Structures are given as structure tokens and as C-alpha cells.
Amino acid sequence: MVMSPGSLMLVFVLSLVVISPTLAKDNYRYIKFLTQHYDAKPTGRDHRYCESMMKKRIQETSKCKEANTFIHDTKKNIKAICGENGSPYGVNFRISNSPFQITTCKHSGGSPKPPCRYRAFKDFRYIVIACEDGWPVHFDESFIST
């Protein structure tokens, strides 16, 4: 069966209408994950790093976030946890097969409202993330490498 160019165009446009909302939703959650947890080449990794990153990335407006972890690796390696570089963990999570360099920023007390103060904790850890359709969408926790 041979399809006319008009029929092919109709099939193409319909596929975009069906597929585009799914891709946009997935990309939004992945982009949010990257914004909150990805920093390939950190500078400093001390309290100034944490205070700067939390202010830029988390955009606290009314309340300081208790903790946030930044993963220092490539997007490709982080995404691979959703596939060959990760193993099933709990319900709907994946744990990395190898440790990642991370910085966890923890609220250091004081006022629970901005301006917020943070302490930095640097380490190599196995990380646990949630994936949707092969894309990281949620950072759950990290474990000390043993």
C-alpha cells in the first residue's frame, strides 16, 4: 500500500499531537530534577557554595529548605542510573551501581526564613533516584560508599 504525501503529513501531525504532551511533561520533570540536583563542575563545595547554589537553584521564598543534594557528574552518567548503571531499589526507585561525587547542603539553623545559611557535606555516595520513561525525575537519597 502506498500512502500519498498528504496522508503521510496527516499521520506525522497526529503523532506530534499525541506524543508532544508526553515529552513536554517528561522534560519538565527532568529539567526540574537537573535544576535542583545537577552541578557538573562545582566550585568551592563549602558553605558559600551551598548558600549560592540554594539561592540560585532552589529559590527559597518563605522558608529555608532543610537539605538538598547536588550531584557532580555528567548528565549522561546520571541518566544511566535509569538503565545499565542502576539497579531496582524499593518501589519505583533505582540505586546507582557506582558512587557519585555529591555535595549535600544542610540548613545550619538560625531563622527558618531567608536569608538561609547552609553547611556543606562532601562525599562519594551511591544515589537513589526515581525514573520515568528512562529519565531521572526525583532524587531520593544517598548512601555512603563502603
Side-chain angles (χ1 to χ4, degrees):
M1 177 174 129
V2 177
M3 294 183 83
S4 70
S7 297
L8 287 174
M9 181 59 86
L10 179 62
V11 169
F12 175 72
V13 170
L14 287 174
S15 67
L16 285 179
V17 169
V18 172
I19 293 171
S20 292
T22 303
L23 292 176
K25 176 188 74 111
D26 291 343
N27 285 337
Y28 167 77
R29 294 199 66 202
Y30 174 60
I31 290 167
K32 184 177 179 186
F33 171 85
L34 292 176
T35 300
Q36 290 182 333
H37 300 292
Y38 169 72
D39 186 24
K41 297 181 182 180
T43 55
R45 295 180 65 208
D46 58 9
H47 73 278
R48 286 183 297 260
Y49 167 81
C50 281
E51 289 169 8
S52 172
M53 290 298 287
M54 294 296 282
K55 191 173 185 179
K56 273 193 296 193
R57 300 284 188 90
I58 307 304
Q59 300 177 349
E60 299 154 327
T61 55
S62 62
K63 186 178 177 189
C64 299
K65 187 172 180 182
E66 283 303 312
N68 193 72
T69 299
F70 294 98
I71 306 164
H72 311 302
D73 210 310
T74 65
K75 292 176 190 176
K76 180 181 176 184
N77 287 343
I78 296 167
K79 185 179 182 297
I81 299 168
C82 296
E84 73 275 359
N85 193 28
S87 301
Y89 184 82
V91 179
N92 299 324
F93 289 101
R94 308 271 301 167
I95 187 167
S96 61
N97 292 340
S98 56
F100 282 76
Q101 183 182 27
I102 58 111
T103 301
T104 298
C105 301
K106 292 188 178 182
H107 186 242
S108 60
S111 174
K113 296 182 179 182
C116 307
R117 300 285 176 238
Y118 291 94
R119 290 188 346 218
F121 297 89
K122 306 177 276 190
D123 211 342
F124 282 86
R125 294 188 172 210
Y126 294 91
I127 59 175
V128 177
I129 62 174
C131 301
E132 285 183 3
D133 299 321
W135 297 93
V137 295
H138 174 74
F139 178 88
D140 193 60
E141 58 186 312
S142 62
F143 295 99
I144 297 173
S145 311
T146 55

